[in-house]
Amino acid sequence: MPAADDSEHQRLADLAEIGDIDLSQYAPGTFGCHEAMHTVSIMLDMTDDLLLQHPAILANPDFYRLAGEVHEALFALYQAIGEKHLAE
């Protein structure tokens, strides 16, 4: 897992790459934030349906563990977004 400093450096680089946009359109309580939360929800469903239930994943304990970690991380992200987005 990348160090916090590496993650922040990458976040800032990615933010710079998207250009000059109004980030207030994506703040908690906005449609933009709701859209991100919905995207995570779709990815959660896909991870469950298409990864965790895939025979190749089920057949390999390492694959299954990694896919489970992805699912757990997406669920944590969904909860984190929802906590801020729905509080607004």
Side-chain angles (χ1 to χ4, degrees):
M1 180 179 263
D5 288 344
D6 292 341
S7 178
E8 180 62 6
H9 176 75
Q10 185 63 53
R11 183 186 75 82
L12 292 173
D14 290 346
L15 190 57
E17 191 172 304
I18 63 172
D20 188 29
I21 63 168
D22 180 7
L23 292 178
S24 69
Q25 294 179 19
Y26 301 93
T30 66
F31 177 77
C33 188
H34 183 81
E35 180 182 50
M37 193 169 110
H38 178 69
T39 300
V40 175
S41 175
I42 292 169
M43 294 179 74
L44 270 166
D45 290 344
M46 290 177 66
T47 302
D48 189 41
D49 296 344
L50 301 176
L51 283 178
L52 287 169
Q53 301 306 314
H54 193 284
I57 303 297
L58 288 168
N60 185 298
D62 292 329
F63 295 171
Y64 190 80
R65 179 184 50 77
L66 289 169
E69 290 173 7
V70 168
H71 192 267
E72 288 176 16
L74 286 169
F75 183 75
L77 177 58
Y78 181 83
Q79 292 295 323
I81 293 171
E83 183 178 312
K84 296 209 183 255
H85 176 59
L86 299 175
E88 294 297 312

